[in-house]
């Protein structure tokens, strides 16, 4: 039975990869979320998720919550002639990924930081309301995919932009990584928990706290690559 890769995201702890001849454990903290033809959801290591022996879409671009995605604006057209059709096709692919990624970020951030439908963006509140009511991902994308694209365009340079929500998610998961280390002292735990509470209370990242978290991550050869400034 082959599987389909849905997205990539952070996971806590060590997990067993569902793919491959011999099931093996993965400790990188990053997993591919996969689904088979009967609707079963499982975890795979990033490498196995690129193997055509196991998945039907090894080269497909899917939402990746662990990296920063470069957005392409709807009205940006730099190509001409024969390249224009290819450029437009690529933009459609990126737009499709972006709206799926934005929806996934809202889904994970609602329980993670207590995100509620009381933001300054009416459209964001509407989508959050749908998620809280239990609407299925596919249904939201089918009926309101255009609205997610509007949100991405309109929320640029705000705390609800695609880039910033992606940064918040990465920041929170990296803090969880630090909290799970055996070398994490009680004072470090208090500080890191305080960083998470700040995001929950204010919906944004403190620059000072971010700088200190980066220093702690560097001890483990890890970094948060980018947090948008505006």
């Amino acid at each position: 039975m082959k599987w389909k890769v849905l997205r990539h995201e952070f996971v806590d702890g060590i997990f067993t990869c569902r793919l491959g001849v011999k099931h093996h454990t993965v400790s990188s903290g990053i997993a591919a979320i996969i689904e088979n033809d009967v609707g079963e959801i499982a975890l795979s290591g990033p490498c196995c998720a690129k193997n055509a022996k196991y998945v039907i879409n090894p080269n497909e671009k899917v939402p990746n919550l662990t990296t920063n995605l470069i957005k392409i604006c709807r009205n940006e057209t730099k190509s001409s002639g024969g390249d224009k059709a290819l450029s437009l096709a690529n933009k459609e692919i990126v737009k499709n990924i972006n709206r799926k990624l934005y929806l996934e970020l809202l889904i994970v951030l609602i329980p993670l930081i207590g995100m509620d439908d009381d933001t300054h963006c009416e459209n964001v509140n509407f989508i959050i309301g749908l998620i809280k009511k239990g609407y299925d991902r596919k249904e939201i994308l089918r009926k309101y995919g255009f609205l997610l694209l509007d949100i991405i365009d309109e929320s640029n340079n705000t705390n609800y932009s695609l880039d910033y929500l992606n940064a918040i998610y990465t920041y929170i998961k990296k803090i969880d990584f630090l909290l799970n280390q055996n070398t994490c002292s009680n004072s470090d735990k208090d500080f890191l928990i305080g960083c998470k509470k700040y995001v929950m209370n204010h919906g944004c990242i403190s620059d000072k706290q971010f700088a200190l978290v980066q220093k702690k991550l560097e001890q483990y050869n890890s970094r948060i690559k980018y947090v948008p400034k505006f």
Side-chain angles (χ1 to χ4, degrees), residues 103 130 134-145:
L103 178 59
L130 295 178
Y135 277 65
D136 180 75
R137 287 177 172 85
K138 293 179 181 178
E139 184 177 5
I140 295 175
L141 288 169
R142 185 178 70 254
K143 291 183 177 179
Y144 305 106

Side-chain angles (χ1 to χ4, degrees), residues 144-179:
Y144 305 106
F146 70 95
L147 192 58
L148 288 164
L149 290 177
D150 286 340
I151 292 171
I152 291 170
D153 285 346
E154 295 168 1
S155 64
N156 196 30
N157 297 326
T158 73
N159 287 3
Y160 306 107
S161 70
L162 175 59
D163 286 334
Y164 201 75
L165 292 185
N166 198 357
I168 286 178
Y169 174 67
T170 303
Y171 181 67
I172 294 295
K173 298 308 290 185
K174 290 290 187 180
I175 287 175
D176 288 341
F177 165 79
L178 291 172
L179 285 168

